[in-house]
Amino acid sequence: MEMDRISSLPNDVTEKILSCLPLRDAVRTSVLSSKWRYKSAMLQDLEFDECSWRTSQYREYDDDDYQIHKTFVNMIDHVLLLHLVPIRKFKLACTADEVATRDIDRWMTHLSRNSIKELIIKLWLDHQYNIPFSVFSCQGLVHLELLDCLLKPPSTFKGFKSLKSLRLLHVDMAQDVFENLIRCSPLLERLTLLSCDGVTSLKIDAPNLQYLHVLGEFDVVNLDSASSITEAEIWMGIGNDEIGVPASWIPACSSSNLLMIFDHLPHIRRLKINRRFLEYLSLGALPEKLTNPCQHLKALSVDICFDDPDAIPTALCILRSSPALQELEIEVDPTEKLPRIHSIVEEVNSPCVNDNYNCTFSQLRLVKITEISGVKAELDFIRFLLLSSPVLERMTVTPRRFPEPSYVDGVPKLVKELLQFKRESKHAEIILLDP
Amino acid sequence: MKKISVRTSDGQEFELEENLAMESATIKTSLDAFSRDDIILLPNVNSWEMVKIIEFFTKVQELETKFGVKFMEKKEGRFLEAFQAEFDKDLSDDNLYCLLWTVDYLGIEVLLENLCHLMAERTKNKTVESCRNLFGVQHDYTPEEEAEIREDYSWAFEGPEIEE
């Protein structure tokens, strides 16, 4: 057997092996032999995660907080100081025990001088961490991910010219800061924006954006300048003190939110929308079909409230305009419809609001319906899907865990009914899952 | 599907499915340069290693069917665990090194990632001495040099060490 075979493995292989280890173990390899002395100091990606650090330190959880703080900070300072190559990726995930704001500021200053490409900061501190100006000067950034931070860039900030992926969770920033950040990062392809207070208007100017995932209470959604989106998940919420449909949601006379959104999603392939966003889309004059069909929409996931008379027509409009649809997922959401307190627009009752839906889903293979109670409207819809899907392979139906008292014995009845429904597709399989 | 023939260092010949063969950057380069009807010679690859590589791709296909996930496209955590549990069993430490070398030479990215993970798992939480034994590394530090390194990275050497 050849001795020391592993040391002479190519550098990229040993780097791969070391990068799979917790940092502590990777650093300890420096003492194996002289060939290993500097391998860990040449790792390009560094992750400082409180969890993995604690485990590898085998420390008891009730250690002196100050000691823990000192050692974690100490470790990061040491690693950065002794590192031999520019750091490509830096991830920091920690709680208030481990670090003070000035420590993080210091590390950010260091990284900003070293052409960092990926920066991930996830903090659970007593207060939001104010991202220092040094971060805004990192023009080499390709991926930025922040959790629980405050974003207040300097007035000289002109965007991140290389940024392709941005993920912001619980990040506070002003509306204009958000719009500026997106508009001035021209290469942006992926955007995740979840629960970011301060962003009330989802107006996105990102011509190269392909992936969008948002969650928030938005006054308006405007994707006019984001027409390259192929995958989107939009979860719209409403403030606790709102008593009805917000005035800002209602479109101008004779226009339709549905058309305004879908006119600018010509390349959409996967779409997931929640109940409130469907409600937002249903406002305005509802067409039977979209002006521009979604030629590429393959997978659609939508939350439908079967008690809301606008929900089905809106969903049907999308379905009718998606000739390539293969996968459909519906979650029944019984949340009550928002009352219309600002009735400004006269809504035309569309011709599709009747039982004769009349369309064929020529590519639909998989359907998943969850949280059903067994009400007539749900069963009608299922029956309609079965009759309109000639290539359907499988439909999975999952009842609600705690159905309304009147439907408590609905499940066995449901099973019987479903299995008796006529199916257009000879090979269709209906599976009833446990809640 | 076209089959590509390869010959390993010990003279054994194998027929690989074309899409499997193309996973190797090295084989792909050879195919681009020469005719696909020729046998590709792999003097750095042993037959038992080729068997293992074919076994890997077969297992990938099995697990893909079982979990309904395209392994090459996504790296699902659950899938990786299942894969590693199956592939780890019959591979001795020595064999793992040899395979790492060979797979790196052949340029099979996805298998290389998994083997590196396996190797990393085997080194976790080991003492320095047992790591040296595991890798067959020659200890060439003087006591002073070693003490200096332990001092430099004191935070990494504090705390209880696990004894094998």
Side-chain angles (χ1 to χ4, degrees), chain A residues 30-276:
Chain A
S30 55
V31 86
L32 286 177
S33 78
S34 56
K35 287 204 183 111
W36 282 85
R37 171 116 198 219
Y38 298 112
K39 282 194 196 280
S40 67
M42 298 204 289
L43 289 173
Q44 294 186 65
D45 298 349
L46 294 177
E47 288 192 16
F48 296 101
D49 188 322
E50 187 243 330
C51 282
S52 58
W53 171 73
R54 271 190 200 265
T55 326
S56 67
Q57 289 289 74
Y58 316 113
R59 274 180 197 278
E60 295 298 317
Y61 271 78
D62 50 21
D63 248 5
D64 181 359
D65 279 355
Y66 178 63
Q67 278 299 105
I68 294 176
H69 167 115
K70 225 176 75 157
T71 326
F72 189 70
V73 169
N74 190 47
M75 166 181 75
I76 300 181
D77 280 334
H78 260 81
V79 169
L80 291 181
L81 199 64
L82 295 176
H83 220 64
L84 291 171
V85 300
I87 298 164
R88 178 181 60 192
K89 172 179 164 184
F90 182 89
K91 176 181 167 182
L92 179 68
C94 58
T95 66
D97 296 336
E98 275 78 43
V99 294
T101 314
R102 63 170 180 274
D103 297 317
I104 312 179
D105 288 349
R106 179 170 70 244
W107 300 326
M108 293 303 117
T109 308
H110 175 89
L111 293 170
S112 67
R113 295 173 185 168
N114 280 285
S115 60
I116 182 151
K117 295 215 162 24
E118 278 186 52
L119 180 61
I120 302 168
I121 305 177
K122 291 169 142 174
L123 301 172
W124 292 270
L125 307 178
D126 301 327
H127 51 274
Q128 282 187 317
Y129 172 62
N130 196 349
I131 298 289
F133 285 177
S134 55
V135 171
F136 297 101
S137 68
C138 299
Q139 282 304 315
L141 268 185
V142 173
H143 172 70
L144 177 62
E145 182 173 337
L146 303 174
L147 170 67
D148 218 5
C149 299
L150 196 61
L151 219 59
K152 255 159 101 176
S155 51
T156 49
F157 178 56
K158 300 247 184 322
F160 290 114
K161 298 299 172 219
S162 316
L163 195 68
K164 284 195 175 161
S165 161
L166 181 62
R167 202 175 139 84
L168 303 172
L169 284 77
H170 287 288
V171 170
D172 265 1
M173 62 193 133
Q175 179 68 36
D176 60 315
V177 165
F178 168 69
E179 284 182 24
N180 209 42
L181 174 59
I182 305 298
R183 190 186 327 121
C184 300
S185 305
L187 298 185
L188 198 64
E189 289 172 7
R190 298 180 67 91
L191 174 62
T192 302
L193 190 81
L194 306 179
S195 305
C196 294
D197 290 343
V199 179
T200 48
S201 166
L202 193 67
K203 187 166 181 302
I204 299 178
D205 184 354
N208 288 312
L209 196 68
Q210 290 169 25
Y211 172 85
L212 177 70
H213 180 186
V214 294
L215 185 151
E217 293 163 12
F218 303 116
D219 292 337
V220 70
V221 178
N222 183 332
L223 302 175
D224 291 1
S225 311
S227 314
S228 304
I229 293 178
T230 57
E231 193 173 336
E233 182 171 341
I234 304 178
W235 199 104
M236 201 138 153
I238 192 145
N240 285 333
D241 37 347
E242 284 281 0
I243 47 170
V245 172
S248 59
W249 284 16
I250 300 176
C253 212
S254 80
S255 64
S256 148
N257 279 344
L258 188 64
L259 284 178
M260 286 201 291
I261 297 287
F262 277 92
D263 272 351
H264 298 103
L265 293 178
H267 302 289
I268 190 88
R269 286 197 231 133
R270 304 188 68 91
L271 180 62
K272 187 170 155 83
I273 60 186
N274 78 321
R275 161 119 181 74
R276 291 289 177 229

Side-chain angles (χ1 to χ4, degrees), chain A residues 1 3-6 8 10 13 16 20-21 24-25 27-28 30-34 37 58 75 78-79, chain B residues 94 97-98 101 104 109 120 123 125 128 132 135-138 140-141 146 149 152-153 155-156 158 160-161:
Chain A
M1 183 197 99
M3 290 290 275
D4 204 3
R5 183 178 279 157
I6 193 176
S8 40
V13 177
K16 268 197 174 74
C20 298
L21 291 170
R24 180 178 184 258
D25 288 347
V27 163
R28 285 158 66 99
S30 55
V31 86
L32 286 177
S33 78
S34 56
R37 171 116 198 219
Y58 316 113
M75 166 181 75
H78 260 81
V79 169
Chain B
D94 277 348
Y97 308 151
C98 292
W101 265 110
D104 183 56
E109 205 45 52
T123 64
N125 298 332
V128 168
R132 286 202 189 107
F135 296 155
V137 162
Q138 199 78 300
D140 58 355
Y141 284 131
E146 182 163 336
I149 298 170
D152 270 351
Y153 292 110
W155 62 269
E158 276 164 13
E161 299 220 355

